[in-house]
Amino acid sequence: MTWNIEGLKRNALNLKHFIDRHLPDLVFLSEPQAFSFDLKRHMDLLGDSYCAELNSDDKHDEELPLFRNKSHGGTMVIWKRTIDKHISVYPVSSSSFLPVVFSPPGSPVSVHIALCLPTSGQESKFVNEISQLRFVIEEIQEKYPDCLLYLR
């Protein structure tokens, strides 16, 4: 599932309802608008069946919550705990995208990239993030030459 959630705080119950009803293996969120320290609280709502990685601005600037009371943008991936041993997060230096590598035994490796790119009025930041994304995709293709690549 891929969803521009436009804020975990305001849409957490909708996310929980969808996950409880459909039990997706993987969930890709753009714009969770949450700081890293909020992740546990949001995941507690989903119970013990899921794991997650949040890629927010404060992950790359730990002092940001001291100056800003609300996180903007970001990306997040949620996956079932039963597939946790087959998921690895690919490290990046941007909160605009979050790659995860899924390598179940007997299946091809797939790389899924959650995206949340800057929009209107942020053209230079958009171009910078696209350049970083291109570089990361090239790295991934070098490391996993036969992988299936999904932009979410």
Side-chain angles (χ1 to χ4, degrees), residues 25-26 28 53 77-80 83-92 97-105 107-114 136-137 139-150 152:
D25 291 330
L26 297 162
F28 302 89
E53 179 74 19
V77 179
I78 301 170
W79 60 90
K80 280 187 177 176
I83 64 171
D84 186 46
K85 63 184 168 210
H86 307 297
I87 297 282
S88 59
V89 176
Y90 194 88
V92 294
F97 52 93
L98 175 59
V100 294
V101 179
F102 182 46
S103 54
S107 296
V109 171
S110 58
V111 179
H112 303 259
I113 304 174
V136 167
I137 289 173
E139 273 185 355
I140 288 169
Q141 289 176 323
E142 230 175 78
K143 188 170 183 173
Y144 306 100
D146 295 326
C147 75
L148 304 169
L149 184 64
Y150 298 92
R152 310 257 181 193

Side-chain angles (χ1 to χ4, degrees), residues 108-128:
V109 171
S110 58
V111 179
H112 303 259
I113 304 174
L115 292 171
C116 181
L117 296 169
T119 56
S120 181
Q122 301 181 59
E123 288 78 11
S124 62
K125 188 173 181 187
F126 177 84
V127 169
N128 182 51

Side-chain angles (χ1 to χ4, degrees), residues 5-147:
I5 195 160
E6 297 177 8
L8 270 174
K9 186 176 182 178
R10 94 179 108 168
N11 287 307
L13 293 177
N14 291 333
L15 177 63
K16 178 176 177 22
H17 172 75
F18 185 89
I19 286 177
D20 288 348
R21 184 168 184 186
H22 299 285
L23 303 171
D25 291 330
L26 297 162
V27 178
F28 302 89
L29 301 177
S30 59
E31 290 192 272
Q33 299 174 355
F35 286 123
S36 298
F37 60 81
D38 291 325
L39 180 60
K40 181 178 176 352
R41 180 173 48 93
H42 291 301
M43 289 306 294
D44 283 348
L45 186 65
L46 299 179
D48 291 335
S49 299
Y50 285 88
C51 302
E53 179 74 19
L54 173 65
N55 195 0
S56 60
D57 286 339
D58 69 316
K59 185 174 184 179
H60 309 288
D61 180 1
E62 294 175 359
E63 294 182 4
L64 191 64
L66 299 173
F67 304 104
R68 204 182 326 159
N69 64 354
K70 182 181 175 192
S71 180
H72 300 281
T75 48
M76 184 172 172
V77 179
I78 301 170
W79 60 90
K80 280 187 177 176
R81 188 167 301 283
T82 56
I83 64 171
D84 186 46
K85 63 184 168 210
H86 307 297
I87 297 282
S88 59
V89 176
Y90 194 88
V92 294
S93 60
S94 169
S95 63
S96 293
F97 52 93
L98 175 59
V100 294
V101 179
F102 182 46
S103 54
S107 296
V109 171
S110 58
V111 179
H112 303 259
I113 304 174
L115 292 171
C116 181
L117 296 169
T119 56
S120 181
Q122 301 181 59
E123 288 78 11
S124 62
K125 188 173 181 187
F126 177 84
V127 169
N128 182 51
E129 296 299 319
I130 287 291
S131 296
Q132 287 185 54
L133 176 60
R134 181 178 180 204
F135 177 75
V136 167
I137 289 173
E138 288 171 358
E139 273 185 355
I140 288 169
Q141 289 176 323
E142 230 175 78
K143 188 170 183 173
Y144 306 100
D146 295 326
C147 75

